[in-house]
């Protein structure tokens, strides 16, 4: 085999591998949540208790990046982040590998409640495009949110 043939063959193989990598990074066969879930949401209630700006050091919110299957936000004090899995047809939502910064704040009760609610989240529903409800496996509402306007 000549050097030119080897280089051409290497170029074709590299191109095929690159294209294969792009396709394999696309979808995994799982449906992603509809685009309505994407973006940022203010946390208004956790387990039926109101979450307001006055009771926290920072605004409590969640953001969903559907393209990267990641969630982020603030639990009222600390920044939170992690992975997520969604299914638009089944309306399921599961957070994974949730982490947070670890500052001490004046109201750690809200912080703990938000983190526990994220662990329990199994499904979601969106009503009228501006109210997001997260529920546990047993159907109990663990968190209510409203669309965040920036």
């Amino acid at each position: 085999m000549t050097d030119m043939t080897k280089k051409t063959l290497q170029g074709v193989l590299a191109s095929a591998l690159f294209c294969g990598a792009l396709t394999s990074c696309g979808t995994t066969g799982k449906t992603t949540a509809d685009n309505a879930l994407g973006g940022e949401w203010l946390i208004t209630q956790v387990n039926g208790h109101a979450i307001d700006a006055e009771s926290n050091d920072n605004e409590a919110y969640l953001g969903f990046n559907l393209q990267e299957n990641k969630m982020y936000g603030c639990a009222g004090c600390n920044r939170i982040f992690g992975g997520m899995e969604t299914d638009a047809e089944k309306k399921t939502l599961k957070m994974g590998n949730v982490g947070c910064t670890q500052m001490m704040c004046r109201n750690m009760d809200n912080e703990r409640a938000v983190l526990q609610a994220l662990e329990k989240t199994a499904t979601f529903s969106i009503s009228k495009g501006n109210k997001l409800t997260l529920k546990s496996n047993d159907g109990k509402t663990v968190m209510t949110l409203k669309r965040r306007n920036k």
Side-chain angles (χ1 to χ4, degrees):
M1 204 180 290
T2 67
D3 283 343
M4 185 60 120
T5 307
K6 285 181 186 177
K7 286 182 183 178
T8 304
L9 185 56
Q10 288 173 342
V12 168
L13 287 173
S15 295
L17 287 172
F18 178 74
C19 290
L22 284 178
T23 338
S24 68
C25 292
T27 59
T28 59
K30 290 187 178 183
T31 319
T32 57
D34 54 33
N35 288 335
L37 179 63
E40 295 183 352
W41 300 83
L42 290 175
I43 301 171
T44 57
Q45 288 187 350
V46 177
N47 297 317
H49 300 287
I51 303 292
D52 56 19
E54 291 80 37
S55 64
N56 293 313
D57 290 358
N58 297 303
E59 187 173 57
Y61 74 96
L62 291 180
F64 300 102
N65 181 329
L66 301 178
Q67 291 75 29
E68 296 181 17
N69 290 324
K70 293 183 180 180
M71 59 78 63
Y72 60 93
C74 179
C77 172
N78 288 291
R79 308 293 269 152
I80 53 178
F81 46 87
M84 65 178 207
E85 292 180 19
T86 58
D87 186 317
E89 291 174 17
K90 297 178 184 175
K91 297 291 186 191
T92 58
L93 173 62
K94 180 166 177 49
M95 296 345 145
N97 296 322
V98 175
C100 65
T101 56
Q102 299 198 3
M103 298 183 303
M104 197 63 175
C105 300
R106 62 186 163 113
N107 188 347
M108 295 306 289
D109 292 338
N110 284 347
E111 186 94 358
R112 279 187 286 279
V114 167
L115 293 172
Q116 288 171 353
L118 290 177
E119 286 180 27
K120 293 178 182 177
T121 298
T123 63
F124 74 95
S125 63
I126 300 172
S127 61
K128 297 183 183 174
N130 62 1
K131 182 181 175 186
L132 172 63
T133 303
L134 305 182
K135 294 186 176 189
S136 60
N137 275 327
D138 60 6
K140 292 183 181 174
T141 298
V142 294
M143 194 179 297
T144 305
L145 305 94
K146 69 177 183 178
R147 179 73 63 192
R148 184 178 191 199
N149 298 323
K150 287 187 179 185

